[in-house]
Amino acid sequence: LELKKQDDVLQELKSNIGSLRNEIARKERQREELNRRIAALIAEKSKSMPASPAVTALSSNFAKNKGKLPWPTTQGVIVKNFGQQSHPLIKNIKIENDGVDIQVDPGSTIRSVFDGTVVKALYIGEFNMVVVVNHGSYFTVYSNLKEVYVSENQKVSREDPLGIVGENRDGVPVLHFELW
């Protein structure tokens, strides 16, 4: 009887691993889609943005602020770091994060980390609203917004509000932030 219970538990765990692997694969496809969309926006913007003293100065100012940029929110905790990391539940599975995920309080305002121009605010499925801001040769990406306060070509300053954070699939308010 005890052996039968153990077999049942083992079978359930095996079936859960399969569904977790499917979920990981789905999230990876979504991450790749987000990257494709962002890369296309950046390429389009870069083509239409000739080199100029203003662009060079903005890029230089952004680079000089390395390590001094404000957070895109007034408070929060990083719940997923940048880069490749081990999956928290499945051994030998690596997950990739192209930015950082910051858990914040519900309804938190998300802010620009530096002066720039909004490239685009668009809806991308699982990532809700996404705002891309140009800072010369640098770009910042703010994903998972439920409300957006800015529009294409709008100038923003450091710490200007861009929108309100949304919730992820688990109902947790998390900002996905990237620097390109």
Side-chain angles (χ1 to χ4, degrees), residues 128-157:
N128 291 323
M129 292 299 295
V130 177
V131 173
V132 180
V133 179
N134 172 249
H135 312 279
S137 6
Y138 298 92
F139 295 82
T140 51
V141 179
Y142 310 80
S143 304
N144 195 32
L145 304 179
K146 72 175 181 182
E147 286 181 44
V148 172
Y149 300 150
V150 294
S151 56
E152 190 172 342
N153 297 320
Q154 180 179 336
K155 300 279 187 214
V156 293
S157 296

Side-chain angles (χ1 to χ4, degrees), residues 24 80 83-96:
I24 291 167
K80 194 172 182 190
Q84 191 179 73
Q85 49 222 286
S86 297
H87 189 276
L89 301 175
I90 304 176
K91 205 168 149 182
N92 302 325
I93 294 286
K94 299 287 185 190
I95 52 177
E96 190 74 34

Side-chain angles (χ1 to χ4, degrees), residues 29-41 180:
R29 286 190 302 275
Q30 290 172 340
R31 183 187 70 79
E32 289 170 358
E33 175 62 20
L34 178 65
N35 283 344
R36 277 193 296 278
R37 301 277 298 268
I38 292 168
L41 284 172
W180 286 61

